[in-house]
Amino acid sequence: MTSSLGSAEHLLRRLGPIDPVPELVELGRAKPVCPMSAGGGPSAFVVTGHDEVVRVLTDPAFSRAALNMPMTGFEKTGGQLLDLDPPEHTRLRRILNAPFSRERVMALRPALWELADQLLDRLVEHGPPADLIEHVVVPFPLTVICDLVGVPRPEQGHVRELTSRALDLTQPAAAHAAATDLTHYFVELIGERRKAPAEDLITELGRAHDDGQLSQEELITALASLVSLGHETTAAALGRAIVIALRRPELVAELAGPSEGDRLLEDLLRLSPATQFTLPRVTTRAEVLSGVSLPAGTVVVPCLISGNQDPRYFADPQTPSSDARARPHLSFGLGPHYCLGANLAREEIRTVMNAIGRRLPGLRLAVEESALPWDKNSLIEALQRIPVTW
Ligand code: HEM
């Protein structure tokens, strides 16, 4: 199977808010490294097979730093983890790892439970039908990451507007302007915390800056990308995971159980990566990937959603299962850029799913799944509304 640019565009489109086009998943088996040609010759390769995606994400021959192809307002702003290769990446990543360690995330659990209960209280008070995106799916991760970073609650809605605009792929100038506004916002907030330190990441990372571990640019970029990646991705994955669970209502109750629920949750994450693709990489030398020769300078686009459903490894790839023998999924990426917030995101999604399973076991969609709107212009392609009843 070959692919012209026209068919590549077809492949990159989603079938709906959850599912990729079937041809994309089929490529993982038939042609896991597939050229996407633009007129004269191949300009990039889409990588769809599970093992091939693993190789691209873990092999240093595939670089982020050598690629100058900003897609959102956040890339190439300087000091951005996702723009760096080791060893520069390793230095910065070590500093940012600490607040997102398993231990630090476990300490947040009581606050997460309390917030989930508060949001569900308000949802119940509102009564059915209600929009789960407005009441839970966005406010939960937004509040968690903003509280952690130190954005005051009344300003969190403003931060949400800026991050959403910065991820719009169709308005590059507006996306860049929004990312710039967000960095200015953090410059001011950093100044305020210097005068009045608090128990938050602005203060903690500000101290790392004062100790000479982080430049001012790295500090600002880190805070701006944490509030953005820290809620847009989680909201997108959480929204999708909930809708998939609602396809079989007994799954919602199962999610309230401890061990079965955890395995099921992991498999729901396999089916709900925040983005279909990771950011592109470029080869720094000639490479062969799955028998395909890639000259130095070739752009490759790893596909998480097809790797997660690779028919070579998943017998019934689109059905969520609590089978403990399942192959590890790629929804948080892999290798040096493995999601910094994976511990936090897992705990957040576990908390919300568990709270829904406990409190609203009869939850169901109030409209057909095919009528759910999603944001086709954003890198994240998140669901915009999930009307539910119970
Ligand atoms: C379910 C929710 C989430 C999903 C599915 C997700 C997914 C991902 C993926 C796939 C990558 C790798 C991108 C690539 O290699 O091109 C990534 C990286 C990253 N994520 Fe997440 N993420 C989630 C939540 C979070 C949260 C809560 C935070 C904030 C604490 C966060 C912060 C980051 C950062 C900073 C990176 C860059 C890491 C690096 O380059 O070293 N993410 N995420």
Side-chain angles (χ1 to χ4, degrees), residues 27 104-105 133 172 221 225 258 263 292 295 324 357 359 378 380 388:
L27 266 189
R104 293 271 294 262
V105 168
I133 294 283
T221 301
S225 51
R263 286 202 291 270
V292 177
R359 298 192 48 184
S378 169
I380 308 282
V388 288

Side-chain angles (χ1 to χ4, degrees), residues 78-79 179-180 182-187 190 214-226:
T180 309
L182 193 62
T183 56
H184 290 158
Y185 171 75
F186 275 112
V187 171
I190 292 165
L214 276 180
S215 70
Q216 175 78 357
E217 185 182 58
E218 287 167 346
L219 170 63
I220 295 163
T221 301
L223 296 170
S225 51
L226 283 177

Side-chain angles (χ1 to χ4, degrees), residues 157-316:
H158 173 59
V159 163
R160 158 84 180 158
E161 275 168 37
L162 293 178
T163 64
S164 299
R165 288 218 305 271
L167 294 171
D168 188 334
L169 299 173
T170 63
Q171 310 278 340
H176 186 71
T180 309
D181 285 352
L182 193 62
T183 56
H184 290 158
Y185 171 75
F186 275 112
V187 171
E188 277 181 31
L189 219 47
I190 292 165
E192 284 174 26
R193 285 302 185 289
R194 285 240 140 76
K195 291 181 224 140
E199 286 217 1
D200 58 31
L201 292 186
I202 301 177
T203 308
E204 183 176 337
L205 297 176
R207 289 201 183 108
H209 164 66
D210 297 344
D211 294 346
Q213 298 180 57
L214 276 180
S215 70
Q216 175 78 357
E217 185 182 58
E218 287 167 346
L219 170 63
I220 295 163
T221 301
L223 296 170
S225 51
L226 283 177
V227 290
S228 161
L229 291 170
H231 86 273
E232 299 269 6
T233 46
T234 314
L238 176 59
R240 290 199 180 99
I242 291 173
V243 173
I244 297 173
L246 292 178
R247 288 174 179 170
R248 278 171 44 207
E250 75 276 11
L251 294 186
V252 177
E254 208 180 304
L255 284 163
S259 60
E260 281 295 292
D262 274 5
R263 286 202 291 270
L264 179 61
L265 186 84
E266 210 48 45
D267 210 44
L268 287 171
L269 281 172
R270 173 179 69 83
L271 292 168
S272 349
T275 52
Q276 295 195 96
F277 297 86
T278 65
L279 293 170
R281 270 64 172 170
V282 64
T283 49
T284 51
R285 54 177 187 248
E287 279 297 327
V288 176
L289 183 61
S290 197
V292 177
S293 296
L294 306 175
T298 305
V299 174
V300 295
V301 190
C303 183
L304 301 174
I305 205 157
S306 58
N308 279 349
Q309 298 183 25
D310 189 328
R312 291 177 295 183
Y313 296 124
F314 300 97
D316 187 7

Side-chain angles (χ1 to χ4, degrees), residues 45 51 308 382:
F45 284 78
D51 296 353
N308 279 349

Side-chain angles (χ1 to χ4, degrees), residues 81-82 89 93 100 145 229-230 233-234 237 274 278-279 281 304 331-333 336-337 339-341 345 349:
L81 270 180
L82 274 164
H89 173 271
R93 174 80 192 223
F100 300 100
I145 194 68
L229 291 170
T233 46
T234 314
T278 65
L279 293 170
R281 270 64 172 170
L304 301 174
S331 292
F332 290 113
H337 295 288
C339 178
L340 178 77
I349 293 179

